[in-house]
Amino acid sequence: MPFRRGWIALLLFALAMINYIDRVTLSFAAGPIAKEYGLDPVSLGYLFSSFLWTYALFLIPMGLLVDRFGAKRIAGFGLTLWSLATAATGLSTGFASLLATRLAMGAGEATSNPAGARVIREWMPAGERGAMNAAFNSGSYAGPALCALVAGPIIEHFGWRALFFAAGAIGLLWLICWLSFFSRPEDARWLSEPERAKILAERTGNTAAAGNRTGLIGMLSSGPTLWGLALTMGCNVYSQYLFLTWLPSYLQVTKGLTIAKTGLYAAIPYTVAVVLCIVIGFLSDRMMRGEVGGGRRRYVIASTMMLAATVLFAPFVDALWLILALIAVSLTGIASTTSLTFSLVNDLLPNPRDIGVAMAFVVVGGNVFGLMAPIVTGYVIQATGSYDGAFYVAGALLICGAASVLTLTRTPIGARRSEAESEVAPLSQRI
């Protein structure tokens, strides 16, 4: 990737990283918070899930706003809101105020994925979408890894409230860079003319030429593709939030680790996932060889979901190093599935002006499942005294997601099957 548009990749990586730092702060501070306020596992499960309630509710409205007003303004507004809400969590006085700040944070974070998808569609040649989405999504795993390393020392030396103040401040620093630096490639004065020409010429790929906008209702009623992508994302995101919200507690309860050691060990699988997610995204672009319009990326997605399903073996493993290895493999599959599904949405969407709302719908599907993961896990732990059932549910959903992407995403978004056969069939014959 040429250096100058590499800055856009770095901005998006940092956006996702900050987004997920703010999401997981509560998970790493759960121990002292639960002790201070007398919270049981079910109460923690609802708190872990709560930001996803408003996140899912506002995703489609935020996607519509991104499509209308552009990524720069909407992402800037969203990050301001969620950073202030994260900092305000450090001022909470009990369950109710914790819940209120998490709900506000979720509403702000609903801007990030629609805005990121719009930026990638505007800035990246079609043949680089896999790597760019992988860079964007890998920030979602770098954030928990970084938080895991610093949360323990911050909590031990300054208290759990300081962790939320620090996380909120990082977001406001990113906002300054975003507002000062970002613009569309057509308007970026720091972009060279040859690179600008390449981006504008190749960002559509071999997807059908854009005509009138389809709109969300048209995309949903025309065929199963957008529904299938949302279902695939849901089956994947369930496992992601199982790890995001309960992994620190799992390591502390089942392996007897302190808060500081939990952070160190939890950072390992997330760091591995960051690196391998980018590698897999790059390899998926090489496999496509520029032929993105037919949706061939679905086969890679099915493979990464089966890789993630190795979480099914976790209940049968006792050694800490082997547990961490399994979690690293599963997180790699989960991270790769998310980034590749984002790429597949772009691959199958003819009109780039619909990208914000299409991506928002897919992410809503993911987070409807995701918001259930912390709650279901809390009830499983309370009922059984074990995490084993939680791993079984996650693994089964991942296998269902692999079947979904293979069977439900075989036509372009917004195109009825009869209209798409002549376009997709020649490509599928070459696969």
Side-chain angles (χ1 to χ4, degrees):
M1 183 183 298
F3 180 77
R4 291 187 180 180
R5 67 180 179 277
W7 284 110
I8 302 300
L10 183 60
L11 274 174
L12 289 183
F13 174 86
L15 174 66
M17 182 178 71
I18 294 165
N19 189 311
Y20 275 77
I21 286 174
D22 292 354
R23 293 186 189 195
V24 301
T25 45
L26 184 61
S27 299
F28 286 100
I33 289 175
K35 183 177 181 181
E36 182 171 336
Y37 296 137
L39 303 178
D40 60 21
V42 172
S43 298
L44 282 176
Y46 279 102
L47 278 178
F48 289 152
S49 170
S50 58
F51 83 92
L52 288 169
W53 306 345
T54 46
Y55 181 75
L57 180 65
F58 283 98
L59 268 167
I60 292 177
M62 291 302 183
L64 292 168
L65 289 174
V66 167
D67 285 339
R68 181 168 183 179
F69 297 108
K72 183 170 186 175
R73 282 186 283 181
I74 302 304
F77 161 76
L79 187 129
T80 301
L81 175 59
W82 94 58
S83 295
L84 292 176
T86 298
T89 307
L91 302 174
S92 63
T93 57
F95 182 89
S97 55
L98 281 169
L99 182 64
T101 58
R102 296 294 284 184
L103 292 173
M105 188 193 79
E109 291 198 344
T111 62
S112 59
N113 276 313
R118 181 64 176 257
V119 170
I120 290 170
R121 186 66 182 239
E122 289 177 344
W123 270 92
M124 291 298 123
E128 297 178 6
R129 285 182 196 147
M132 183 61 167
N133 274 294
F136 179 33
N137 185 56
S138 64
S140 305
Y141 295 81
L146 178 60
C147 192
L149 292 173
V150 303
I154 290 175
I155 292 171
E156 287 189 349
H157 289 89
F158 304 104
W160 65 264
R161 298 177 189 274
L163 180 62
F164 293 93
F165 297 147
I170 293 171
L172 296 178
L173 290 175
W174 180 92
L175 180 65
I176 295 171
C177 299
W178 176 255
L179 295 178
S180 302
F181 182 78
F182 180 80
S183 60
R184 298 172 67 228
E186 291 90 335
D187 306 319
R189 288 180 288 183
W190 49 268
L191 189 64
S192 68
E193 288 304 320
E195 189 171 356
R196 191 193 322 274
K198 177 180 177 62
I199 293 169
L200 299 182
E202 298 181 19
R203 63 186 179 184
T204 300
N206 61 353
T207 306
N212 294 328
R213 294 181 67 176
T214 306
L216 180 60
I217 300 301
M219 289 187 282
L220 293 176
S221 63
S222 62
T225 299
L226 196 58
W227 293 102
L229 289 165
L231 177 60
T232 300
M233 186 66 79
C235 292
N236 188 60
V237 169
Y238 184 96
S239 296
Q240 180 182 7
Y241 280 100
L242 167 64
F243 288 125
L244 279 175
T245 54
W246 284 104
L247 178 58
S249 297
Y250 167 74
L251 292 175
Q252 289 168 25
V253 171
T254 65
K255 303 304 175 186
L257 301 181
T258 64
I259 292 177
K261 285 187 176 180
T262 296
L264 177 62
Y265 285 117
I268 295 171
Y270 279 107
T271 303
V272 171
V274 169
V275 176
L276 294 183
C277 175
I278 293 174
V279 171
I280 292 173
F282 175 78
L283 291 176
S284 80
D285 282 339
R286 296 292 298 271
M287 290 173 62
M288 296 306 103
R289 296 187 299 274
E291 296 180 352
V292 298
R296 294 174 61 195
R297 222 181 291 263
R298 71 174 66 87
Y299 301 106
V300 187
I301 293 172
S303 300
T304 56
M305 294 197 83
M306 295 305 297
L307 183 69
T310 54
V311 70
L312 284 167
F313 297 105
F316 305 101
V317 173
D318 291 323
L320 178 59
W321 69 268
L322 196 50
I323 284 285
L324 293 177
L326 271 176
I327 293 173
V329 170
S330 186
L331 281 173
T332 296
I334 294 166
S336 300
T337 295
T338 299
S339 60
L340 292 170
T341 303
F342 287 167
S343 297
L344 186 59
V345 175
N346 259 312
D347 294 348
L348 295 174
L349 187 68
N351 197 321
R353 291 176 293 175
D354 287 321
I355 184 60
V357 69
M359 184 64 71
F361 182 80
V362 171
V363 177
V364 166
N367 285 278
V368 167
F369 282 70
L371 66 85
M372 293 189 295
I375 298 171
V376 170
T377 303
Y379 279 111
V380 168
I381 295 169
Q382 185 153 296
T384 67
S386 170
Y387 288 79
D388 292 356
F391 293 130
Y392 294 144
V393 172
L397 284 173
L398 287 162
I399 294 171
C400 290
S404 170
V405 76
L406 289 174
T407 58
L408 299 178
T409 64
R410 306 195 68 83
T411 60
I413 298 171
R416 298 184 185 278
R417 185 174 295 274
S418 59
E419 298 170 353
E421 284 175 351
S422 62
E423 185 177 317
V424 177
L427 177 59
S428 65
Q429 291 169 6
R430 296 196 296 269
I431 296 174

